[in-house]
């Protein structure tokens, strides 16, 4: 005997029974709501820094005078509250300005959809550090792969299977950087934080801190962690970073080592001390010899500046005595 014969099992929901079609359509529209900043948590592993710089101070002043003009994008969290997707800087500026609420659009997003939107919205910033691009591109690429892009195809020579062919094209098409440049940035995620900070300093230009260009940093990303740690120690000791040719030489030596072996510290030192093309001859003095005259942690550039000023004062006094 057939069960439920003659009955329509596709019964309407209570919402369908007691709301009109217009009301149901309106309920699906995204609306701007006001939310307290403390109810919005940070995006997990957010790769972009919210720096307390002059731009942030100006933004906070603008928010103080005009409010947040562009709504942030958030999504609901399973345990309650909201998670920021796009608008971390606006939220921070609102907090600095003392706002109790900020306008937000609440959108239903999967984890991967949220990652893609978060990365794309932040790539529009004026100043983005290499480390920020590195982890942002990697997060977006991983999300794209999970959404169905092929990742089993061989990519460009920078690294086997680093990017799949289709995800390569899609990622580059939606980004300010080309495919090869994106590959380079993603390689930076294999650097230890100490070396990665030197690449960031090529943008930040912090006084007394060494800088390293992108291309040599990419080559160094293939070194073992222990080799990278030795290299960073020597960079600080010599106050010099490797050229692209030196970095490539270090990579080749490292890749030629058997598992469990590594490039010796003395070998790294020998390569770093090689004279670079067009390098101006420099006077060098052991850091250990002069460090006792300075507080611990004084940058090498600050030491040099102090020594030069001391010598200028010494010469001035000598000339005064001879008069």
């Amino acid at each position: 005997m057939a069960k439920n014969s003659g009955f329509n099992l596709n019964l309407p929901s209570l919402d369908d029974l007691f709301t009109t079609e217009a009301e149901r359509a309106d309920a699906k529209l995204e609306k701007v709501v006001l939310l307290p900043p403390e109810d919005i948590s940070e995006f997990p592993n957010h790769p972009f820094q919210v720096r307390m710089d002059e731009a942030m101070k100006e933004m906070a002043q603008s928010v103080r005078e005009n409010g947040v003009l562009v709504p942030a994008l958030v999504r609901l969290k399973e345990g309650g509250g909201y998670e920021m997707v796009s608008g971390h800087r606006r939220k921070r500026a609102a907090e600095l300005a003392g706002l109790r609420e900020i306008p937000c659009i609440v959108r239903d997003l999967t984890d991967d959809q949220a990652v893609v939107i978060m990365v794309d919205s932040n790539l529009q910033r004026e100043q983005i550090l290499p480390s920020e691009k590195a982890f942002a591109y990697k997060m977006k690429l991983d999300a794209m792969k999970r959404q169905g892009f092929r990742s089993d195809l061989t990519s460009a020579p920078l690294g086997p299977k680093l990017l799949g062919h289709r995800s390569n094209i899609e990622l580059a098409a939606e980004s300010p950087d080309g495919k090869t440049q994106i590959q380079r940035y993603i390689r930076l995620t294999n650097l230890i934080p100490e070396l990665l900070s030197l690449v960031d300093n090529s943008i930040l230009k912090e006084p007394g801190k060494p800088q390293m260009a992108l291309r040599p940093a990419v080559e160094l990303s293939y070194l073992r962690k222990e080799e990278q740690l030795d290299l960073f120690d020597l960079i600080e000791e010599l106050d010099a970073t490797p050229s692209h040719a030196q970095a490539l030489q270090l990579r080749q030596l490292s890749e030629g080592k058997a598992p469990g072996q590594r490039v010796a510290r003395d070998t790294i030192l020998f390569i770093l001390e090689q004279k670079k093309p067009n390098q101006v001859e420099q006077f060098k003095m052991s850091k250990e010899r002069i460090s006792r005259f300075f507080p611990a942690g004084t940058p090498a550039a600050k030491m040099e500046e102090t020594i030069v000023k001391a010598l200028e004062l010494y010469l001035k006094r000598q000339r005064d005595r001879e008069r």
Side-chain angles (χ1 to χ4, degrees):
M1 181 177 177
K3 295 182 179 179
N4 298 323
S5 178
F7 290 91
N8 182 4
L9 297 180
N10 296 320
L11 298 176
S13 66
L14 290 176
D15 285 343
D16 291 338
L17 288 172
F18 295 105
T19 60
T20 66
E21 184 176 348
E23 289 173 332
R24 292 194 296 273
D26 181 66
K28 295 179 180 179
L29 294 176
E30 291 183 340
K31 297 182 179 66
V32 176
V33 298
L34 295 175
L35 299 175
E38 61 268 21
D39 288 353
I40 309 172
S41 63
E42 302 294 307
F43 195 92
N45 301 316
H46 192 247
F48 297 95
Q49 301 176 26
V50 179
R51 291 185 286 277
M52 192 59 211
D53 51 17
E54 284 301 317
M56 175 56 71
K57 293 177 183 177
E58 292 174 3
M59 189 176 188
Q61 183 60 32
S62 174
V63 168
R64 192 175 290 111
E65 296 172 356
N66 308 302
V68 178
L69 302 179
V70 179
L73 179 64
V74 302
R75 64 174 185 160
L76 281 169
K77 295 174 63 177
E78 287 187 8
Y82 301 87
E83 181 179 280
M84 183 66 75
V85 177
S86 174
H88 290 78
R89 284 172 53 80
R90 277 164 279 170
K91 175 190 171 188
R92 180 59 180 146
E95 290 172 334
L96 293 171
L99 269 62
R100 293 186 175 183
E101 296 177 320
I102 61 173
C104 298
I105 294 174
V106 182
R107 185 174 297 173
D108 184 20
L109 296 168
T110 66
D111 291 346
D112 292 335
Q113 288 172 336
V115 165
V116 172
I117 293 174
M118 179 274 295
V119 171
D120 286 347
S121 62
N122 280 281
L123 285 176
Q124 309 307 316
R125 293 185 183 183
E126 290 184 8
Q127 186 187 75
I128 306 176
L129 299 180
S131 63
E132 294 175 325
K133 281 192 174 184
F135 288 99
Y137 279 138
K138 188 175 188 305
M139 287 178 70
K140 182 176 178 180
L141 176 65
D142 291 343
M144 291 172 66
K145 287 178 180 178
R146 288 190 294 267
Q147 288 177 323
F149 291 94
R150 292 180 62 185
S151 59
D152 59 340
L153 301 176
T154 302
S155 64
L158 282 174
K161 299 183 180 178
L162 179 60
L163 294 174
H165 178 68
R166 284 185 59 204
S167 50
N168 249 342
I169 297 172
E170 292 291 333
L171 183 56
E174 300 169 0
S175 306
D177 298 295
K179 180 180 71 172
T180 301
Q181 191 75 342
I182 289 172
Q183 289 178 309
R184 292 188 180 119
Y185 279 120
I186 292 178
R187 274 301 318 174
L188 297 184
T189 61
N190 294 283
L191 285 175
I192 60 173
E194 295 86 347
L195 289 178
L196 185 54
S197 69
L198 302 187
V199 190
D200 282 346
N201 201 45
S202 65
I203 304 296
L204 296 173
K205 311 290 185 186
E206 292 184 11
K209 192 172 181 181
Q211 303 173 20
M212 185 158 56
L214 178 63
R215 295 293 296 278
V218 169
E219 303 299 342
L220 298 175
S221 71
Y222 291 91
L223 271 59
R224 295 167 175 82
K225 181 179 179 180
E226 296 80 9
E227 296 167 340
Q228 293 188 36
L229 289 169
D230 283 343
L231 173 62
F232 179 74
D233 287 342
L234 291 169
I235 287 174
E236 284 204 315
E237 183 178 319
L238 301 174
D239 193 22
T241 53
S243 65
H244 183 238
Q246 290 172 328
L248 184 58
Q249 188 177 359
L250 288 170
R251 173 187 172 179
Q252 291 170 343
L253 286 173
S254 179
E255 291 182 333
K257 293 291 182 181
Q261 296 182 342
R262 68 192 227 194
V263 179
R265 181 186 177 93
D266 289 345
T267 303
I268 299 175
L269 175 61
F270 175 77
I271 292 174
L272 286 181
E273 288 184 326
Q274 292 176 0
K275 190 172 181 179
K276 303 181 181 72
N278 303 319
Q279 179 178 341
V280 178
E281 185 175 355
Q282 296 181 351
F283 172 77
K284 291 185 179 180
M285 181 181 291
S286 171
K287 194 173 182 180
E288 286 73 17
R289 188 177 178 184
I290 61 174
S291 59
R292 62 191 178 93
F293 298 106
F294 298 91
T298 302
K302 183 64 175 177
M303 290 183 181
E304 180 182 346
E305 180 185 353
T306 304
I307 291 171
V308 170
K309 288 182 178 179
L311 288 172
E312 288 173 348
L313 180 61
Y314 171 78
L315 290 174
K316 182 178 182 301
R317 289 178 176 176
Q318 288 292 99
R319 287 193 294 268
D320 291 342
R321 287 177 183 175
E322 293 172 358
R323 290 174 182 174

